[in-house]
Amino acid sequence: MYGRKSCQLLRELASAEPGQIPTFNNDLFDQVMKECTEHQFQLQSLMRKIQDEGLDIQTTRNEDHFGAVVHHLSLIRNKRCLMAYMYNRAEIIQGLRWKLGPVLPQEIQEKLNYLEEEYFKNHSAAIESYMAELDLDLTVDMVPPKDPYIQVKVLDDIGEVLLGDQSATLVRHSVHSLRRTDAEPFISQGLMEEFLG
């Protein structure tokens, strides 16, 4: 039955947890692309057959016409499903940039195909460029904090880093008082957490 594979691709995406991205299904995606190519070939073949018989394509209503309509509509459906698959994955990838920052964890990178990785890099570069142009960090909390400094606990050895106008050595299980803007990238990457007491 035409369109089942493209529908399966979308069901796979919809079954993932909200905000989570499933592994890109190259095999199924390629099968849908091959089905589109086959529909295109069949459509062109039927259109040529109608023309070769000297019939008017606009007014002919025979089995070749209806076969061409079926292939045309199947082709459109598959294309729409592929576009929906890619669009929804792109939206999730954009959301990951705001949640996790400019560096994706390895387990998420493994779920993306090459073009999606490039999309993430280009999207991150565009955001970074925009923030640099405005001299404003858009990734910081939308609600202004009461204190610009927070207590953080380092979860993994990070080493010597430059934080604003000072350098600090961040070793595992150490507690530091840092500016929120300096700590946010490390918190989003899971390298430190806010220490509440």
Side-chain angles (χ1 to χ4, degrees):
M1 187 79 173
Y2 299 138
R4 282 207 175 142
K5 291 176 183 172
S6 58
C7 191
Q8 181 183 347
L9 202 58
L10 288 176
R11 265 195 240 109
E12 193 177 280
L13 184 63
S15 67
E17 294 289 323
Q20 299 295 315
I21 192 162
T23 302
F24 189 87
N25 193 334
N26 276 314
D27 294 335
L28 195 53
F29 194 89
D30 289 343
Q31 288 175 24
V32 176
M33 291 295 291
K34 284 179 186 172
E35 188 177 306
C36 286
T37 303
E38 180 62 29
H39 284 305
Q40 181 68 24
F41 175 76
Q42 291 294 331
L43 178 61
Q44 289 173 345
S45 170
L46 289 169
M47 297 298 278
R48 263 193 310 276
K49 185 177 176 187
I50 291 172
Q51 287 176 336
D52 290 345
E53 292 174 358
L55 301 172
D56 182 22
I57 292 175
Q58 299 295 323
T59 59
T60 301
R61 298 293 181 259
N62 61 14
E63 64 275 359
D64 293 332
H65 165 78
F66 293 113
V69 169
V70 168
H71 287 291
H72 178 69
L73 293 176
S74 298
L75 180 62
I76 290 173
R77 177 187 167 86
N78 281 349
K79 284 183 176 183
R80 288 182 61 165
C81 289
L82 290 174
M83 292 296 290
Y85 183 73
M86 294 306 294
Y87 175 80
N88 284 298
R89 288 182 66 86
E91 286 220 320
I92 294 169
I93 292 168
Q94 288 176 9
L96 290 173
R97 169 55 176 92
W98 292 104
K99 277 194 254 177
L100 303 175
V103 179
L104 287 176
Q106 187 63 33
E107 63 269 8
I108 293 178
Q109 284 184 10
E110 291 170 356
K111 294 179 179 182
L112 306 179
N113 72 2
Y114 173 75
L115 293 174
E116 289 174 325
E117 288 177 17
E118 287 300 308
Y119 177 75
F120 180 80
K121 288 176 189 172
N122 292 337
H123 182 67
S124 292
I127 291 172
E128 294 294 328
S129 171
Y130 182 69
M131 289 190 303
E133 190 176 309
L134 293 177
D135 194 25
L136 177 68
D137 188 357
L138 299 173
T139 60
V140 181
D141 291 333
M142 296 302 286
V143 177
K146 293 179 179 145
D147 188 2
Y149 290 88
I150 59 171
Q151 293 283 325
V152 292
K153 179 179 178 183
V154 181
L155 301 175
D156 199 7
D157 286 330
I158 299 172
E160 185 85 16
V161 293
L162 184 62
L163 301 170
D165 57 354
Q166 64 185 22
S167 67
T169 303
L170 304 175
V171 294
R172 187 178 182 150
H173 300 302
S174 60
V175 177
H176 302 271
S177 178
L178 301 175
R179 287 191 315 195
R180 181 176 294 276
T181 55
D182 291 336
E184 284 293 330
F186 297 108
I187 292 171
S188 67
Q189 293 175 24
L191 297 174
M192 57 175 65
E193 67 184 2
E194 191 167 354
F195 186 69
L196 301 174

